[in-house]
Each structure stands twice: as C-alpha cells, then as structure tokens.
Amino acid sequence: MNDCGLRTADYGLFGGTLLLALAVGCAGVPKNPAPHAPPPAAVSESVVRSPQSAVFSGPQSAAVSYLVFVASEGNDRISLIRFTTVCPDSPTGCARVEREHRVGMNPTELLGPHGIAVAPDGSSYYVTTAHGTPNGALWKFTTAKDSFLGRFQLGAFPATVTISPDGGYVYVVNFNLYCDPVTSSVSVVYGDQMVEVTRIPTCVMPHGSRLNAQGTKHYSVCMMNDMLIEIDTRQFGVARHFMVTRG
C-alpha cells in the first residue's frame, strides 16, 4: 500500500447548501495496474450536504442525503455517490452510485487523479491528475453533469488542491514524487480561464494545500524538509517557514 491519508478539508456555502470538500488518497498508484482493477480503498472525496430531507415512517424519520465526489487513483474514475442517513430498509443509512465518468484522453494510460475540491459557489469542481507527459494537470468539471470545462498542465505529480474563498484561484502542490529530490513548487491557477498565474518554489516534495479563512495565507508541508511553508497570497511568494522538528 502506498502512503495514504487525509489530504485536505474545505467547505463553502451555496444557497442553503453546505459543501464540504475532503481529499483522501494515496501518494501514488501501481505502475502497472490491472486494466479493470477495483478502485483503491483510499480515495479522493468531495462531500456535498443537501438541505433536502426525505421522510420515512419509523422512530427515526428524518433522513439527510450527502453527495460525495470520489476520485479513484487506480482506475481514473470520478464517481458521485449519494449517502443517506436513514433508509426504508436500513435505519443506519445506505449509499448508491449516482453517476461516474473517467478522467483522461487515453484509455490505455492511467493519469492517477489525486486531489479534488469543489468551488465555493458549488457550480464546478477541480481534479488533479498526478501522471502525464511529462507532467500532471488540473482539470475542471461542472458539478451538475460532469461536463468538461478546462485542463491545464502543471508540474511533476500535482497533488493536493484547494480553492480561494472567492473561487478565483486554485492552489495545487507539485508533489514531485518520482523525480529527483529537488525543490518543487505550488502552482496558482486562475480558475475562470484555467491559466497558471505563477509557480512558487517552496521545498522538496510539498504536500497538503490549505488556505486560512480570509484566503490571504496558504499553507503546505514539506515531506523531505520537515517544514511548514506559509505563502502570502497577496504577493504570491513564501512569507515564512516553520521547522516541525526539534532544533
């Protein structure tokens, strides 16, 4: 099993709907996976909580549905899964796949979707794919029908992704998992036009991508440098770093 775990957690409001975006995934995928291998146990997720409730008879009558975008690194599929807290035949909840689609243009080449995040207005979502020729990319789709909105090639192994509170900018760490241990970067993409505004050098193998509530500071960690990096989003440059080891 590759390095798996929680990647990001973001949220926003759209009308009366709470959108909670999570990213849970592995750092890599098998180099030669089976053509029809099942998705890995750890996946990238984006959770959308609907304010609508279904009513069933019984002592626990109120049910809430959650829509979850799941990006599976092992088979390049993005699935929308509906979780319901109370179901007629299952008081503890149930789930079903609403729809799914495949990311990529070449059916014989796995791209490895790694990070996923929903825009604050709920109209679109972004997916990073770790593999490519030569680098990975950032993809944009509509949340309504998974319609393709754009793609932009980034650095080596784009991984964790987060979006500014106003939805304008997308921050992606270029994890650079399989290359030489050299300083990598954080890509800043203008989401409306899917254009990379700048690429900020940070450290060796940056991972994680988080913004403060105001969107003025971006944070990522360095797998090989034991540092937390703070970026000033108004200057698009590193403001501070903090060593997470003793000394």
Side-chain angles (χ1 to χ4, degrees):
M1 178 66 69
N2 292 306
D3 174 34
C4 302
L6 181 65
R7 304 300 186 198
T8 60
D10 298 291
Y11 65 92
L13 290 173
F14 176 54
T17 304
L18 171 66
L19 296 96
L20 172 63
L22 306 177
V24 184
C26 301
V29 296
K31 293 185 178 179
N32 297 296
H36 301 290
V43 297
S44 296
E45 302 179 343
S46 171
V47 182
V48 181
R49 177 177 178 179
S50 169
Q52 302 298 323
S53 296
V55 179
F56 302 108
S57 60
Q60 295 180 339
S61 59
V64 178
S65 290
Y66 297 82
L67 292 174
V68 183
F69 283 105
V70 180
S72 301
E73 293 188 67
N75 62 10
D76 283 0
R77 292 192 176 275
I78 308 297
S79 303
L80 180 64
I81 301 176
R82 181 182 296 276
F83 288 90
T84 304
T85 56
V86 180
C87 302
D89 57 348
S90 177
T92 58
C94 57
R96 70 172 186 267
V97 177
E98 294 280 305
R99 66 175 191 264
E100 65 179 14
H101 71 104
R102 188 179 185 277
V103 177
M105 296 171 286
N106 186 346
T108 64
E109 178 185 3
L110 283 179
L111 294 183
H114 191 86
I116 190 167
V118 175
D121 66 0
S123 64
S124 60
Y125 65 96
Y126 297 86
V127 178
T128 58
T129 50
H131 309 290
T133 308
N135 296 324
L138 177 69
W139 302 67
K140 184 179 182 180
F141 303 93
T142 65
T143 54
K145 295 183 179 180
D146 300 321
S147 299
F148 174 74
L149 294 177
R151 174 186 178 275
F152 195 89
Q153 184 171 286
L154 299 178
F157 206 109
T160 327
V161 56
T162 193
I163 308 169
S164 61
D166 62 3
Y169 293 95
V170 185
Y171 295 80
V172 181
V173 293
N174 295 302
F175 187 34
N176 195 27
L177 177 62
Y178 299 126
C179 301
D180 294 332
V182 297
T183 298
S184 192
S185 58
V186 174
S187 289
V188 183
V189 177
Y190 183 55
D192 284 351
Q193 299 180 12
M194 288 296 286
V195 174
E196 186 177 30
V197 176
T198 187
R199 191 174 294 184
I200 306 167
T202 55
C203 57
V204 179
M205 298 179 72
H207 213 61
S209 184
R210 294 287 292 163
L211 286 161
N212 64 358
Q214 296 75 30
T216 58
K217 304 292 183 182
H218 176 272
Y219 297 92
S220 59
V221 294
C222 313
M223 182 172 173
M224 303 304 292
N225 298 125
D226 298 324
M227 288 192 298
L228 172 68
I229 300 291
E230 179 186 81
I231 291 174
D232 186 336
T233 61
R234 295 162 294 189
Q235 302 294 326
F236 287 148
V238 173
R240 297 182 296 177
H241 70 272
F242 175 77
M243 297 300 299
V244 296
T245 56
R246 291 183 178 180

